[in-house]
Amino acid sequence: MKKPTWARSPQQLQDLSTHGVATRAQLREAKVSDSSLTARTAPGGPWQRLLPGVYLLHNGYPSPLQRSIAALAYGGPKSSITGQVGLGAHGYGTDGTSNEVHVLIPAGIRRASKSFVRVERTWRMPDAIEKGSLRVAPLVRSLADTTRAVKTDEHCVRLIAEVVQRGGATLDDIALELAEGPRRHGAISKRVVGELRDDAHSVAELQAQKLYADSGLPPMMHNCAIYTASGKLLCITDNLLDEVGFCWEIDSLAYHLTPADHAKTIARRTEMQGNGLIVLSHLPRDIRDNPAKVLADLRSHYQLALNRPRPSLTVRPWKDL
């Protein structure tokens, strides 16, 4: 018997697929019979069934991209990816992997979660953004849906802080999305956004502020601009005891990865000290792993600041710039 065209020319099926993922409708269009499909997806066969009506044209483990393409094919033409996979497609939150592909579909469509795909029906269907072969929910929606699934405040802060610090969205954008979204599983996200709005712009700064509350020292100002007597902007510091001119800097490694960044930090700190400020620096891991030492450093440097006149500097909140 003469082989069908697709069997004589395997490239035909590869051309109609998306990175090796094809739907039943596409395979039927290529004249692949039900019996051929059953035989090829049987145990030990050259293909595999990933999801109902969605197939992978090889029998190896599907790549993350192939799983995402299959999830969209299963969700239908109006579906889009959100959650951690969506966040990763935007270039954020890529320090972790996800075994689940979270797919949004319009509320009027009936589709159940299957295998590695979590289907969410929603009346708030976002306008999808094309990211290569994928349809992805906007960044803020992907972020909000990701944070709803996290288990710890620290993980949630890290995700949100990355997006805010890199300019992907504002805290107001994120707060609005959380307020308009489903109420389930949003307690951690909303609490974290509220804390970040209180002038803590990174995981490290938030942890530092919580630790400082145990120091017994006067309250510090956060993220404020310091000017010289001539009106020149000297710096914007993480934390400041204004009455004694004592700055506490949290040196997150993410902002000091290159020699140029490190050189800028050293020059800035030298200028701060040259203008009379007492400057104390800690790494995030110091706050996490040795809080007692950090508290001792804070108290000793506060005493140093008390033992000399306050420098002639002017301070304003950075938001007033």
Side-chain angles (χ1 to χ4, degrees):
M1 179 182 293
K2 185 177 180 181
K3 288 185 177 181
T5 302
W6 64 264
R8 298 196 309 271
S9 178
Q11 188 61 41
Q12 176 189 359
L13 295 184
Q14 292 298 327
D15 290 343
L16 70 84
S17 73
T18 304
H19 293 279
V21 176
T23 64
R24 183 69 191 95
Q26 289 172 318
L27 294 173
R28 279 178 175 158
E29 187 177 332
K31 309 301 183 185
V32 178
S33 66
D34 289 343
S35 59
S36 295
L37 184 56
T38 299
R40 285 181 166 260
T41 56
W47 299 348
Q48 60 182 297
R49 176 181 177 271
L50 291 180
L51 294 161
V54 184
Y55 301 87
L56 184 62
L57 303 183
H58 67 72
N59 58 10
Y61 194 78
S63 69
L65 177 60
Q66 288 171 328
R67 286 158 57 91
S68 296
I69 292 169
L72 288 173
Y74 174 66
K78 295 183 179 180
S79 64
S80 62
I81 292 175
T82 189
Q84 187 169 326
V85 175
L87 193 61
H90 286 283
Y92 294 86
T94 55
D95 58 342
T97 58
S98 176
N99 293 322
E100 175 186 84
V101 183
H102 186 177
V103 173
L104 300 174
I105 64 172
I109 296 177
R110 304 190 69 84
R111 190 85 79 247
S113 297
K114 292 285 186 181
S115 185
F116 55 85
V117 180
R118 176 160 72 94
V119 174
E120 179 183 343
R121 298 167 63 198
T122 177
W123 292 107
R124 299 178 59 249
M125 196 68 198
D127 293 330
I129 297 173
E130 299 291 332
K131 292 286 183 180
S133 302
L134 303 180
R135 295 185 305 275
V136 182
L139 172 58
V140 173
R141 179 65 173 270
S142 295
L143 172 64
D145 288 339
T146 302
T147 61
R148 289 190 184 99
V150 302
K151 304 299 183 183
T152 66
D153 285 21
E154 182 176 357
H155 187 189
C156 187
V157 173
R158 186 165 64 248
L159 291 168
I160 292 173
E162 180 189 9
V163 172
V164 173
Q165 289 165 344
R166 289 173 53 188
T170 67
L171 286 172
D172 287 341
D173 296 333
I174 299 167
L176 179 61
E177 175 58 43
L178 289 171
E180 293 184 347
R183 295 182 179 179
R184 291 183 304 163
H185 314 302
I188 291 178
S189 308
K190 292 175 182 177
R191 180 172 65 252
V192 163
V193 168
E195 290 178 332
L196 289 173
R197 275 176 152 176
D198 188 24
D199 291 328
H201 297 292
S202 71
V203 176
E205 288 184 20
L206 183 59
Q207 291 175 333
Q209 289 181 28
K210 288 181 176 180
L211 178 62
Y212 186 82
D214 296 328
S215 69
L217 299 177
M220 274 190 162
M221 298 173 64
H222 307 298
N223 301 298
C224 40
I226 302 177
Y227 295 84
T228 65
S230 65
K232 174 189 173 184
L233 176 63
L234 177 61
C235 65
I236 297 176
T237 187
D238 295 335
N239 307 285
L240 172 70
L241 269 173
D242 185 23
E243 59 268 32
V244 294
F246 170 31
C247 297
W248 184 30
E249 299 278 284
I250 310 303
D251 287 336
S252 177
L253 293 179
Y255 297 97
H256 302 87
L257 294 179
T258 69
D261 290 337
H262 182 66
K264 288 179 182 177
T265 297
I266 296 299
R268 170 180 173 273
R269 199 143 294 157
T270 299
E271 188 173 10
M272 291 169 68
Q273 292 169 335
N275 280 271
L277 291 168
I278 297 294
V279 183
L280 173 64
S281 303
H282 284 111
L283 294 172
R285 65 168 174 260
D286 298 328
I287 296 166
R288 182 186 67 240
D289 299 336
N290 201 352
K293 174 65 165 53
V294 172
L295 288 173
D297 290 343
L298 284 165
R299 292 169 183 138
S300 65
H301 280 69
Y302 176 64
Q303 289 302 317
L304 286 175
L306 278 176
N307 292 334
R308 58 71 167 116
R310 181 194 181 280
S312 180
L313 299 169
T314 303
V315 177
R316 292 208 302 266
W318 72 272
K319 290 180 180 177
D320 293 341
L321 293 178

